[in-house]
Amino acid sequence: MKLSIVIPAYNEEESITETIQQIEEAFAKVNIDHEIFVVNDNSKDNTLTVLESLSQQYPALKYETNLGPNGFGFAVRYGLERFTGDCVAVMMADLSDSPYDLIRYYTTMIEGNYDCVFGSRFVKGGKVIDYPFVKKIINRIANFIIRMVMGIKYNDTTNAFKLYKKEVIDGVKPILSPHFNLTIELPLKAIIRGYTYTVVPNSWTNRKYGVSKLKIKEMGSRYFFILMYCFVEKYFSRGDFKRKK
C-alpha cells in the first residue's frame, strides 16, 4: 500500500530541508512505498528554490505551488486532491512531527486494517517538547469541548498529524475548511461517517526555525463553525452521509 505524505509549506525555507531529510532517513530503514508531496503555499521566501534542489536529491519528493487561494486548509486540500497513494498523512513542515511516528501509524493501519490512524500527544506514550504553556492550556480546553459536544473519547482532535486511507478522503468531501480548522473537520467527519479508526501515541516538538502560522485569536470562531457543522451532521442528518458498507 503506497503512502503519500502531504506537507503544506509557507515560508519554510529554514525547516523544509531537515524535514525532508528526517523523513527519508527514517524511511530508508523500512520497506514502504511512499511519496512526499509538498504544497508550496505561495511562499514569499526561498522555499520553492529549496524544494527544487531537494527534488533532485530525493526521487520520492514532488512539489507544486498553490497560487491561491492560500492558507493552511487550502494548501492541505490542494495536496489531498493530487496525492497518488493508497493512504495519506498530513505532516507539518516545521519538524514538529516525527517520521518514526508516521511509520507506526502506517504499520498500525496495515496490521489492524483501520481506515484511519490518529495520533495523540496526551495519552500514555505520547509527549510534547517545548510546548508553549498558554497554547497547551487552550489546546486542552478546545479538545475537551470537542469531546463533550461530539460524544467521542479521542482527546487530540486538533492535532493535524493523522493518517487516512484514500477512500476516507473521498468520503469526507466536500472539505470546507480554508484554515487550521481543517485539522478537526477531517477526523470528525471520518468518525461520524462510520470509518474505522484507532489512536496511537505520538510526539510533538516545537519548531526550531521561523514562527507558527497558527493565530489562535483568529481561529476560535472558525473552529466553532466546523464543530457545529459536524454536530449538526451527526445528530440531524439521519445518517445520510454515513459510509455505505
Side-chain angles (χ1 to χ4, degrees):
M1 185 165 72
K2 183 178 179 180
L3 167 65
S4 293
I5 307 165
V6 169
I7 302 176
Y10 176 70
N11 291 351
E12 295 287 1
E13 63 177 350
E14 295 178 300
S15 299
I16 196 64
T17 296
E18 286 188 49
T19 298
I20 301 303
Q21 287 175 343
Q22 287 187 9
I23 293 172
E24 289 294 74
E25 287 173 6
F27 276 75
K29 302 173 184 178
V30 293
N31 184 26
I32 298 176
D33 184 18
H34 68 282
E35 70 169 359
I36 304 170
F37 186 11
V38 178
V39 180
N40 170 42
D41 198 33
N42 208 13
S43 297
K44 308 307 179 188
D45 64 358
N46 291 319
T47 297
L48 182 59
T49 302
V50 174
L51 287 170
E52 291 172 349
S53 176
L54 288 170
S55 66
Q56 298 177 28
Q57 183 178 357
Y58 299 108
L61 173 63
K62 57 186 284 190
Y63 64 91
E64 293 186 24
T65 295
N66 174 30
L67 295 176
N70 299 119
F72 177 85
F74 284 123
V76 174
R77 286 161 57 180
Y78 187 98
L80 294 181
E81 290 292 339
R82 293 164 175 81
F83 74 93
T84 62
D86 303 295
C87 59
V88 59
V90 177
M91 291 186 72
M92 305 302 280
D94 59 7
L95 302 169
S96 59
D97 302 319
S98 167
Y100 293 98
D101 286 335
L102 178 55
I103 292 170
R104 185 184 304 116
Y105 285 13
Y106 180 87
T107 56
T108 299
M109 176 175 280
I110 296 294
E111 292 170 359
N113 194 29
Y114 296 106
D115 298 320
C116 317
V117 178
F118 301 154
S120 176
R121 300 161 288 184
F122 304 101
V123 296
K124 184 178 180 180
K127 64 179 180 179
V128 294
I129 300 171
D130 195 24
Y131 203 115
F133 178 75
V134 173
K135 185 177 178 180
K136 183 176 181 180
I137 295 299
I138 294 172
N139 175 286
R140 302 323 301 143
I141 293 172
N143 277 282
F144 176 79
I145 293 171
I146 291 169
R147 288 169 59 198
M148 294 301 101
V149 170
M150 298 304 299
I152 60 176
K153 294 182 179 180
Y154 179 44
N155 71 350
D156 201 9
T157 308
T158 57
N159 182 10
F161 184 29
K162 298 177 174 69
L163 177 65
Y164 306 89
K165 286 185 177 177
K166 185 180 187 301
E167 65 187 76
V168 178
I169 298 301
D170 292 337
V172 300
K173 293 177 180 177
I175 301 171
L176 305 179
S177 302
H179 302 288
F180 281 89
N181 47 348
L182 180 102
T183 62
I184 70 171
E185 180 181 359
L186 295 181
L188 289 181
K189 279 186 175 179
I191 292 171
I192 63 181
R193 294 187 182 185
Y195 292 97
T196 62
Y197 72 96
T198 192
V199 179
V200 298
N202 75 286
S203 62
W204 182 91
T205 305
N206 200 8
R207 61 166 55 239
K208 292 170 60 177
Y209 311 105
V211 295
S212 173
K213 312 304 186 295
L214 174 61
K215 307 299 181 184
I216 294 175
K217 290 182 179 180
E218 298 176 5
M219 287 307 303
S221 61
R222 292 178 171 124
Y223 276 106
F224 182 76
F225 165 73
I226 289 298
L227 179 59
M228 290 299 98
Y229 178 93
C230 292
F231 174 85
V232 169
E233 179 177 318
K234 178 175 182 177
Y235 292 104
F236 297 97
S237 69
R238 296 182 176 272
D240 289 341
F241 303 100
K242 273 279 191 179
R243 175 191 186 189
K244 303 298 187 292
K245 296 186 179 180

